[in-house]
Amino acid sequence: VASRITGFIEKITVDEGDIVKPGDTLVEIDNAQIEAAIKGADAAVLAAKADLLDAKDDVKRIKKLVQSKTMAEDDLRNAEVRRAQATATLATAEAELVAKKQDRRYSHIISPVHAQVRERLRDPGDLAAAGEPILQLDALGDMELEVYLPSTSISNISVGQTVNVKVKSCDELLTAKVSNIVRAADEVTRRYKVRLL
């Protein structure tokens, strides 16, 4: 289990050996930086809205002046370009605000599976960097395995078929069932993804 954001760990709710269920909160990360980034993005949206409103007003005003032959057509075109730029700036600022708000959910790391905590790699007060492991979990129950097969082998596989699997870390041969075949080949490797249970 790793963090998707960088921040100080406020709380780790589990210890080694604990059993966790899907949805259980495992780690809470200080979100002060996220909240500050959201406030900054919010301010950028407000500024972009004000600029767009001003640009729209300029277009209306200059359009009237052009009709009365007080200003040139070029001035109107320039005002319309500024309005288009302000519209794009607002769209960018709003997208950035949405992205920053999405980061909020990463301040609470939840268990994706039913598992047992094998090892705690960090403690409260430690800095969690994005992508850096905090906990190691051992999934309990059925495990899913993904394999990639060349196009020459994919026609020999069907959903529900039982196959033998050899895993490097395990000496014995395992048995699994094909649960899904993704029929679109990877663009680079030209291999097909097959999921096994």
Side-chain angles (χ1 to χ4, degrees):
V1 174
S3 174
R4 293 194 186 188
I5 59 172
T6 298
F8 288 99
I9 298 170
E10 286 186 338
K11 187 176 183 183
I12 298 179
T13 61
V14 294
D15 285 314
E16 293 172 357
D18 287 355
I19 303 294
V20 295
K21 300 184 296 296
D24 285 354
T25 299
L26 304 175
V27 180
E28 293 177 15
I29 296 174
D30 176 35
N31 65 355
Q33 288 181 330
I34 294 170
E35 292 303 323
I38 289 171
K39 284 181 182 174
D42 219 359
V45 167
L46 290 174
K49 282 181 179 177
D51 190 42
L52 178 58
L53 188 60
D54 187 47
K56 285 179 178 179
D57 287 344
D58 281 352
V59 169
K60 284 181 190 174
R61 183 176 51 78
I62 293 171
K63 197 176 275 187
K64 287 178 184 175
L65 292 171
V66 167
Q67 287 171 349
S68 67
K69 308 276 190 222
T70 312
M71 288 189 92
E73 290 278 340
D74 284 347
D75 293 323
L76 178 58
R77 276 193 291 277
N78 290 339
E80 288 172 340
V81 167
R82 181 174 168 254
R83 180 182 61 189
Q85 289 172 334
T87 302
T89 300
L90 176 58
T92 303
E94 287 174 336
E96 185 69 21
L97 178 60
V98 169
K100 297 296 181 194
K101 285 183 175 180
Q102 290 292 325
D103 285 346
R104 260 191 194 136
R105 64 184 169 154
Y106 299 129
S107 65
H108 286 71
I109 301 173
I110 60 170
S111 177
V113 293
H114 181 234
Q116 183 173 25
V117 180
R118 178 194 296 183
E119 186 177 2
R120 272 178 55 164
L121 305 170
R122 297 281 177 267
D123 291 311
D126 289 352
L127 180 66
E132 190 175 283
I134 298 170
L135 298 169
Q136 283 190 348
L137 303 180
D138 288 329
L140 302 173
D142 291 340
M143 301 264 310
E144 185 177 81
L145 177 68
E146 289 182 356
V147 295
Y148 293 84
L149 298 177
S151 56
T152 54
S153 301
I154 202 69
S155 60
N156 299 329
I157 301 292
S158 60
V159 174
Q161 180 179 354
T162 302
V163 294
N164 292 325
V165 179
K166 177 70 176 148
V167 181
K168 279 186 178 181
S169 61
C170 181
D171 291 334
E172 61 187 86
L173 202 59
L174 304 174
T175 303
K177 272 195 176 174
V178 177
S179 65
N180 187 18
I181 301 170
V182 178
R183 295 286 177 187
D186 180 274
E187 292 179 11
V188 177
T189 64
R190 305 303 305 154
R191 292 176 175 264
Y192 293 82
K193 185 192 298 186
V194 177
R195 291 190 180 98
L196 308 172
L197 286 177

